[in-house]
mmCIF file of all heavy atoms in Angstrom:
data_model
loop_
_atom_site.group_PDB
_atom_site.id
_atom_site.type_symbol
_atom_site.label_atom_id
_atom_site.label_comp_id
_atom_site.label_asym_id
_atom_site.label_seq_id
_atom_site.Cartn_x
_atom_site.Cartn_y
_atom_site.Cartn_z
ATOM 1 N N TYR A 1 39.013 118.248 -82.951
ATOM 2 C CA TYR A 1 38.989 119.518 -82.271
ATOM 3 C C TYR A 1 38.016 120.460 -82.994
ATOM 4 O O TYR A 1 38.090 120.494 -84.253
ATOM 5 C CB TYR A 1 40.419 120.096 -82.257
ATOM 6 C CG TYR A 1 41.358 119.371 -81.317
ATOM 7 C CD1 TYR A 1 42.190 118.369 -81.961
ATOM 8 C CD2 TYR A 1 41.418 119.612 -79.988
ATOM 9 C CE1 TYR A 1 43.097 117.711 -81.210
ATOM 10 C CE2 TYR A 1 42.353 118.885 -79.270
ATOM 11 C CZ TYR A 1 43.064 117.894 -79.824
ATOM 12 O OH TYR A 1 44.103 117.198 -79.035
ATOM 13 N N LYS A 2 37.244 121.175 -82.227
ATOM 14 C CA LYS A 2 36.366 122.170 -82.824
ATOM 15 C C LYS A 2 36.450 123.411 -81.974
ATOM 16 O O LYS A 2 36.463 123.297 -80.779
ATOM 17 C CB LYS A 2 34.910 121.577 -82.746
ATOM 18 C CG LYS A 2 34.714 120.480 -83.710
ATOM 19 C CD LYS A 2 33.261 120.121 -83.846
ATOM 20 C CE LYS A 2 32.912 119.087 -84.829
ATOM 21 N NZ LYS A 2 33.639 118.222 -85.429
ATOM 22 N N ASP A 3 36.496 124.523 -82.584
ATOM 23 C CA ASP A 3 36.634 125.871 -81.913
ATOM 24 C C ASP A 3 35.293 126.610 -81.971
ATOM 25 O O ASP A 3 34.678 126.602 -83.031
ATOM 26 C CB ASP A 3 37.828 126.744 -82.520
ATOM 27 C CG ASP A 3 39.149 126.035 -82.457
ATOM 28 O OD1 ASP A 3 39.438 125.578 -81.292
ATOM 29 O OD2 ASP A 3 39.890 125.913 -83.318
ATOM 30 N N TYR A 4 35.052 127.255 -80.939
ATOM 31 C CA TYR A 4 33.734 128.135 -80.764
ATOM 32 C C TYR A 4 34.155 129.424 -80.120
ATOM 33 O O TYR A 4 34.983 129.628 -79.303
ATOM 34 C CB TYR A 4 32.760 127.332 -79.952
ATOM 35 C CG TYR A 4 32.326 126.040 -80.462
ATOM 36 C CD1 TYR A 4 32.939 124.908 -80.186
ATOM 37 C CD2 TYR A 4 31.241 126.000 -81.418
ATOM 38 C CE1 TYR A 4 32.518 123.621 -80.813
ATOM 39 C CE2 TYR A 4 30.785 124.801 -81.871
ATOM 40 C CZ TYR A 4 31.451 123.711 -81.605
ATOM 41 O OH TYR A 4 31.025 122.504 -82.247
ATOM 42 N N LEU A 5 33.232 130.385 -80.393
ATOM 43 C CA LEU A 5 33.161 131.556 -79.611
ATOM 44 C C LEU A 5 31.882 131.467 -78.783
ATOM 45 O O LEU A 5 30.788 131.092 -79.292
ATOM 46 C CB LEU A 5 33.050 132.847 -80.534
ATOM 47 C CG LEU A 5 34.297 133.218 -81.321
ATOM 48 C CD1 LEU A 5 34.066 134.396 -82.168
ATOM 49 C CD2 LEU A 5 35.488 133.521 -80.328
ATOM 50 N N LEU A 6 31.927 131.780 -77.560
ATOM 51 C CA LEU A 6 30.804 131.844 -76.695
ATOM 52 C C LEU A 6 30.496 133.323 -76.452
ATOM 53 O O LEU A 6 31.430 134.036 -76.041
ATOM 54 C CB LEU A 6 30.981 131.155 -75.354
ATOM 55 C CG LEU A 6 31.315 129.610 -75.401
ATOM 56 C CD1 LEU A 6 31.429 129.068 -73.996
ATOM 57 C CD2 LEU A 6 30.193 128.914 -76.159
ATOM 58 N N VAL A 7 29.260 133.724 -76.645
ATOM 59 C CA VAL A 7 29.006 135.202 -76.384
ATOM 60 C C VAL A 7 27.811 135.181 -75.291
ATOM 61 O O VAL A 7 26.825 134.406 -75.595
ATOM 62 C CB VAL A 7 28.529 135.853 -77.700
ATOM 63 C CG1 VAL A 7 28.007 137.182 -77.413
ATOM 64 C CG2 VAL A 7 29.773 135.878 -78.633
ATOM 65 N N TYR A 8 27.990 136.019 -74.349
ATOM 66 C CA TYR A 8 26.942 136.148 -73.315
ATOM 67 C C TYR A 8 26.235 137.461 -73.479
ATOM 68 O O TYR A 8 26.919 138.518 -73.527
ATOM 69 C CB TYR A 8 27.553 136.055 -71.905
ATOM 70 C CG TYR A 8 28.448 134.829 -71.786
ATOM 71 C CD1 TYR A 8 29.759 134.951 -71.399
ATOM 72 C CD2 TYR A 8 27.956 133.596 -71.811
ATOM 73 C CE1 TYR A 8 30.602 133.888 -71.298
ATOM 74 C CE2 TYR A 8 28.700 132.441 -71.589
ATOM 75 C CZ TYR A 8 30.000 132.540 -71.324
ATOM 76 O OH TYR A 8 30.703 131.492 -71.172
ATOM 77 N N ARG A 9 24.980 137.436 -73.620
ATOM 78 C CA ARG A 9 24.178 138.614 -73.725
ATOM 79 C C ARG A 9 23.335 138.821 -72.502
ATOM 80 O O ARG A 9 22.683 138.013 -71.995
ATOM 81 C CB ARG A 9 23.221 138.504 -74.987
ATOM 82 C CG ARG A 9 22.427 139.754 -75.282
ATOM 83 C CD ARG A 9 21.038 139.378 -75.522
ATOM 84 N NE ARG A 9 20.156 140.361 -76.005
ATOM 85 C CZ ARG A 9 19.235 140.937 -75.284
ATOM 86 N NH1 ARG A 9 19.113 140.708 -74.048
ATOM 87 N NH2 ARG A 9 18.475 141.867 -75.906
ATOM 88 N N TRP A 10 23.518 140.063 -71.907
ATOM 89 C CA TRP A 10 22.695 140.419 -70.792
ATOM 90 C C TRP A 10 22.726 141.975 -70.750
ATOM 91 O O TRP A 10 23.476 142.536 -71.472
ATOM 92 C CB TRP A 10 23.231 139.871 -69.442
ATOM 93 C CG TRP A 10 24.389 140.540 -68.951
ATOM 94 C CD1 TRP A 10 24.382 141.489 -67.860
ATOM 95 C CD2 TRP A 10 25.734 140.366 -69.180
ATOM 96 N NE1 TRP A 10 25.690 141.845 -67.631
ATOM 97 C CE2 TRP A 10 26.565 141.142 -68.401
ATOM 98 C CE3 TRP A 10 26.449 139.479 -70.127
ATOM 99 C CZ2 TRP A 10 27.971 141.222 -68.492
ATOM 100 C CZ3 TRP A 10 27.723 139.527 -70.200
ATOM 101 C CH2 TRP A 10 28.467 140.398 -69.418
ATOM 102 N N SER A 11 21.745 142.582 -69.930
ATOM 103 C CA SER A 11 21.714 143.945 -69.748
ATOM 104 C C SER A 11 22.219 144.393 -68.340
ATOM 105 O O SER A 11 21.839 143.693 -67.419
ATOM 106 C CB SER A 11 20.341 144.387 -70.027
ATOM 107 O OG SER A 11 20.282 145.831 -69.800
ATOM 108 N N THR A 12 22.793 145.466 -68.321
ATOM 109 C CA THR A 12 23.241 146.079 -67.102
ATOM 110 C C THR A 12 22.297 147.102 -66.528
ATOM 111 O O THR A 12 22.482 147.723 -65.475
ATOM 112 C CB THR A 12 24.713 146.748 -67.174
ATOM 113 O OG1 THR A 12 24.686 147.720 -68.082
ATOM 114 C CG2 THR A 12 25.764 145.614 -67.432
ATOM 115 N N VAL A 13 21.241 147.321 -67.416
ATOM 116 C CA VAL A 13 20.198 148.316 -66.990
ATOM 117 C C VAL A 13 18.988 147.543 -66.758
ATOM 118 O O VAL A 13 18.829 146.308 -66.853
ATOM 119 C CB VAL A 13 19.943 149.381 -68.123
ATOM 120 C CG1 VAL A 13 21.208 150.198 -68.259
ATOM 121 C CG2 VAL A 13 19.558 148.815 -69.341
ATOM 122 N N ASP A 14 17.926 148.242 -66.432
ATOM 123 C CA ASP A 14 16.684 147.700 -66.110
ATOM 124 C C ASP A 14 16.212 146.850 -67.258
ATOM 125 O O ASP A 14 16.151 147.300 -68.416
ATOM 126 C CB ASP A 14 15.625 148.853 -65.763
ATOM 127 C CG ASP A 14 14.265 148.375 -65.344
ATOM 128 O OD1 ASP A 14 13.924 147.247 -65.628
ATOM 129 O OD2 ASP A 14 13.644 149.136 -64.559
ATOM 130 N N ARG A 15 15.798 145.611 -67.033
ATOM 131 C CA ARG A 15 15.408 144.636 -68.034
ATOM 132 C C ARG A 15 14.281 145.254 -68.869
ATOM 133 O O ARG A 15 14.039 144.729 -70.052
ATOM 134 C CB ARG A 15 14.895 143.356 -67.410
ATOM 135 C CG ARG A 15 16.023 142.571 -66.876
ATOM 136 C CD ARG A 15 15.419 141.283 -66.289
ATOM 137 N NE ARG A 15 16.312 140.930 -65.224
ATOM 138 C CZ ARG A 15 16.203 139.850 -64.529
ATOM 139 N NH1 ARG A 15 15.313 139.035 -64.766
ATOM 140 N NH2 ARG A 15 16.954 139.505 -63.527
ATOM 141 N N ARG A 16 13.389 145.980 -68.264
ATOM 142 C CA ARG A 16 12.136 146.533 -69.017
ATOM 143 C C ARG A 16 12.595 147.294 -70.095
ATOM 144 O O ARG A 16 11.813 147.605 -71.041
ATOM 145 C CB ARG A 16 11.312 147.183 -68.037
ATOM 146 C CG ARG A 16 10.684 146.187 -66.981
ATOM 147 C CD ARG A 16 9.994 146.937 -65.890
ATOM 148 N NE ARG A 16 11.062 147.843 -65.174
ATOM 149 C CZ ARG A 16 10.628 148.660 -64.130
ATOM 150 N NH1 ARG A 16 9.462 148.683 -63.767
ATOM 151 N NH2 ARG A 16 11.616 149.292 -63.547
ATOM 152 N N MET A 17 13.857 147.858 -70.167
ATOM 153 C CA MET A 17 14.335 148.784 -71.195
ATOM 154 C C MET A 17 14.731 148.080 -72.455
ATOM 155 O O MET A 17 14.860 148.702 -73.613
ATOM 156 C CB MET A 17 15.401 149.672 -70.765
ATOM 157 C CG MET A 17 15.030 150.554 -69.611
ATOM 158 S SD MET A 17 16.472 151.537 -68.985
ATOM 159 C CE MET A 17 16.847 152.605 -70.411
ATOM 160 N N LEU A 18 14.942 146.704 -72.390
ATOM 161 C CA LEU A 18 15.313 145.990 -73.497
ATOM 162 C C LEU A 18 14.626 144.700 -73.511
ATOM 163 O O LEU A 18 14.683 143.917 -72.621
ATOM 164 C CB LEU A 18 16.891 145.637 -73.310
ATOM 165 C CG LEU A 18 17.599 144.939 -74.489
ATOM 166 C CD1 LEU A 18 17.555 145.827 -75.782
ATOM 167 C CD2 LEU A 18 19.019 144.649 -74.062
ATOM 168 N N PRO A 19 13.931 144.368 -74.664
ATOM 169 C CA PRO A 19 13.205 143.111 -74.766
ATOM 170 C C PRO A 19 14.059 141.977 -74.715
ATOM 171 O O PRO A 19 15.275 142.041 -75.119
ATOM 172 C CB PRO A 19 12.455 143.220 -76.025
ATOM 173 C CG PRO A 19 13.159 144.253 -76.848
ATOM 174 C CD PRO A 19 13.899 145.158 -75.907
ATOM 175 N N PRO A 20 13.520 140.743 -74.282
ATOM 176 C CA PRO A 20 14.452 139.577 -74.367
ATOM 177 C C PRO A 20 14.854 139.268 -75.783
ATOM 178 O O PRO A 20 14.111 139.548 -76.675
ATOM 179 C CB PRO A 20 13.541 138.520 -73.699
ATOM 180 C CG PRO A 20 12.149 139.050 -73.834
ATOM 181 C CD PRO A 20 12.215 140.511 -73.871
ATOM 182 N N PRO A 21 15.934 138.548 -75.893
ATOM 183 C CA PRO A 21 16.456 138.236 -77.208
ATOM 184 C C PRO A 21 15.566 137.265 -77.883
ATOM 185 O O PRO A 21 14.977 136.358 -77.241
ATOM 186 C CB PRO A 21 17.803 137.624 -76.964
ATOM 187 C CG PRO A 21 17.821 137.126 -75.570
ATOM 188 C CD PRO A 21 16.842 138.039 -74.848
ATOM 189 N N ASP A 22 15.438 137.359 -79.152
ATOM 190 C CA ASP A 22 14.668 136.432 -80.020
ATOM 191 C C ASP A 22 15.377 135.043 -80.037
ATOM 192 O O ASP A 22 16.593 135.045 -80.381
ATOM 193 C CB ASP A 22 14.471 137.100 -81.476
ATOM 194 C CG ASP A 22 13.754 136.119 -82.368
ATOM 195 O OD1 ASP A 22 13.393 135.013 -81.899
ATOM 196 O OD2 ASP A 22 13.443 136.541 -83.418
ATOM 197 N N PRO A 23 14.758 133.948 -79.569
ATOM 198 C CA PRO A 23 15.403 132.670 -79.610
ATOM 199 C C PRO A 23 15.925 132.253 -81.058
ATOM 200 O O PRO A 23 16.950 131.543 -81.153
ATOM 201 C CB PRO A 23 14.381 131.729 -79.131
ATOM 202 C CG PRO A 23 13.375 132.595 -78.518
ATOM 203 C CD PRO A 23 13.467 133.921 -79.111
ATOM 204 N N ALA A 24 15.278 132.786 -82.139
ATOM 205 C CA ALA A 24 15.646 132.532 -83.477
ATOM 206 C C ALA A 24 16.722 133.423 -84.035
ATOM 207 O O ALA A 24 17.293 133.333 -85.094
ATOM 208 C CB ALA A 24 14.479 132.576 -84.419
ATOM 209 N N GLY A 25 17.114 134.472 -83.204
ATOM 210 C CA GLY A 25 18.002 135.415 -83.612
ATOM 211 C C GLY A 25 19.430 134.899 -83.196
ATOM 212 O O GLY A 25 19.701 133.800 -83.091
ATOM 213 N N GLY A 26 20.337 135.874 -82.958
ATOM 214 C CA GLY A 26 21.642 135.539 -82.550
ATOM 215 C C GLY A 26 22.738 135.774 -83.468
ATOM 216 O O GLY A 26 23.909 135.453 -83.197
ATOM 217 N N ALA A 27 22.400 136.446 -84.670
ATOM 218 C CA ALA A 27 23.493 136.629 -85.595
ATOM 219 C C ALA A 27 24.507 137.580 -84.986
ATOM 220 O O ALA A 27 24.251 138.406 -84.173
ATOM 221 C CB ALA A 27 22.899 137.357 -86.835
ATOM 222 N N LEU A 28 25.715 137.379 -85.360
ATOM 223 C CA LEU A 28 26.888 138.127 -84.738
ATOM 224 C C LEU A 28 27.795 138.693 -85.667
ATOM 225 O O LEU A 28 28.153 137.976 -86.697
ATOM 226 C CB LEU A 28 27.750 137.046 -83.808
ATOM 227 C CG LEU A 28 29.007 137.635 -83.078
ATOM 228 C CD1 LEU A 28 28.616 138.616 -82.075
ATOM 229 C CD2 LEU A 28 29.705 136.448 -82.511
ATOM 230 N N ARG A 29 28.191 139.885 -85.686
ATOM 231 C CA ARG A 29 29.139 140.555 -86.501
ATOM 232 C C ARG A 29 30.381 141.102 -85.695
ATOM 233 O O ARG A 29 30.028 141.916 -84.738
ATOM 234 C CB ARG A 29 28.554 141.677 -87.238
ATOM 235 C CG ARG A 29 29.469 142.393 -88.170
ATOM 236 C CD ARG A 29 28.804 143.367 -89.095
ATOM 237 N NE ARG A 29 27.945 142.567 -90.034
ATOM 238 C CZ ARG A 29 26.645 142.890 -90.251
ATOM 239 N NH1 ARG A 29 26.137 144.084 -89.759
ATOM 240 N NH2 ARG A 29 25.922 142.258 -91.045
ATOM 241 N N ILE A 30 31.490 140.695 -85.999
ATOM 242 C CA ILE A 30 32.677 141.151 -85.334
ATOM 243 C C ILE A 30 33.541 141.942 -86.372
ATOM 244 O O ILE A 30 33.795 141.400 -87.393
ATOM 245 C CB ILE A 30 33.482 140.008 -84.652
ATOM 246 C CG1 ILE A 30 32.685 139.343 -83.549
ATOM 247 C CG2 ILE A 30 34.774 140.570 -84.112
ATOM 248 C CD1 ILE A 30 33.354 138.064 -83.033
ATOM 249 N N VAL A 31 33.903 143.098 -85.993
ATOM 250 C CA VAL A 31 34.862 143.848 -86.871
ATOM 251 C C VAL A 31 36.154 143.943 -86.047
ATOM 252 O O VAL A 31 36.253 144.459 -84.884
ATOM 253 C CB VAL A 31 34.336 145.326 -87.165
ATOM 254 C CG1 VAL A 31 35.323 146.071 -87.977
ATOM 255 C CG2 VAL A 31 32.994 145.277 -87.790
ATOM 256 N N ALA A 32 37.195 143.328 -86.589
ATOM 257 C CA ALA A 32 38.488 143.151 -85.972
ATOM 258 C C ALA A 32 39.566 143.886 -86.933
ATOM 259 O O ALA A 32 39.800 143.394 -88.046
ATOM 260 C CB ALA A 32 38.839 141.732 -85.754
ATOM 261 N N ASP A 33 40.159 144.981 -86.466
ATOM 262 C CA ASP A 33 41.141 145.631 -87.241
ATOM 263 C C ASP A 33 40.581 145.907 -88.713
ATOM 264 O O ASP A 33 41.345 145.707 -89.733
ATOM 265 C CB ASP A 33 42.506 144.871 -87.314
ATOM 266 C CG ASP A 33 43.146 144.967 -85.987
ATOM 267 O OD1 ASP A 33 42.772 145.714 -85.129
ATOM 268 O OD2 ASP A 33 44.096 144.226 -85.763
ATOM 269 N N GLY A 34 39.307 146.223 -88.830
ATOM 270 C CA GLY A 34 38.720 146.600 -90.173
ATOM 271 C C GLY A 34 38.148 145.481 -90.904
ATOM 272 O O GLY A 34 37.442 145.629 -91.937
ATOM 273 N N ARG A 35 38.455 144.144 -90.505
ATOM 274 C CA ARG A 35 37.915 142.974 -91.123
ATOM 275 C C ARG A 35 36.576 142.641 -90.555
ATOM 276 O O ARG A 35 36.439 142.706 -89.342
ATOM 277 C CB ARG A 35 38.831 141.825 -91.097
ATOM 278 C CG ARG A 35 40.020 141.932 -92.010
ATOM 279 C CD ARG A 35 40.979 140.804 -91.910
ATOM 280 N NE ARG A 35 40.336 139.481 -92.374
ATOM 281 C CZ ARG A 35 40.836 138.285 -92.199
ATOM 282 N NH1 ARG A 35 42.113 138.210 -91.764
ATOM 283 N NH2 ARG A 35 40.235 137.160 -92.581
ATOM 284 N N VAL A 36 35.634 142.260 -91.358
ATOM 285 C CA VAL A 36 34.251 141.968 -90.876
ATOM 286 C C VAL A 36 34.061 140.422 -90.911
ATOM 287 O O VAL A 36 34.297 139.772 -91.932
ATOM 288 C CB VAL A 36 33.213 142.642 -91.752
ATOM 289 C CG1 VAL A 36 31.793 142.267 -91.312
ATOM 290 C CG2 VAL A 36 33.300 144.202 -91.621
ATOM 291 N N PHE A 37 33.641 139.888 -89.868
ATOM 292 C CA PHE A 37 33.416 138.450 -89.646
ATOM 293 C C PHE A 37 31.825 138.316 -89.183
ATOM 294 O O PHE A 37 31.459 138.954 -88.251
ATOM 295 C CB PHE A 37 34.220 137.828 -88.617
ATOM 296 C CG PHE A 37 35.687 137.905 -88.898
ATOM 297 C CD1 PHE A 37 36.467 138.927 -88.472
ATOM 298 C CD2 PHE A 37 36.337 136.935 -89.553
ATOM 299 C CE1 PHE A 37 37.786 139.055 -88.650
ATOM 300 C CE2 PHE A 37 37.731 137.014 -89.870
ATOM 301 C CZ PHE A 37 38.454 138.164 -89.471
#
C-alpha cells in the first residue's frame, strides 16, 4: 500500500493572468492546525 495526495492546479480566471506552471516545479506546503508539511 502506498498513500498519495493528488493536487489539481487550475485557474478560475482568465488564463492570461497566470502563467502555466513550471513542469519542474510543484513543491507543496500544507499548514494544518499550525503544523507545516
Side-chain angles (χ1 to χ4, degrees):
Y1 295 94
K2 293 188 178 7
D3 296 313
Y4 296 89
L5 291 174
L6 300 179
V7 173
Y8 306 119
R9 183 229 191 248
W10 80 95
S11 177
T12 58
V13 296
D14 189 330
R15 293 179 207 184
R16 296 171 292 182
M17 295 179 67
L18 185 62
D22 180 356
L28 175 67
R29 177 172 297 134
I30 298 175
V31 179
D33 290 345
R35 285 182 59 188
V36 178
F37 299 91

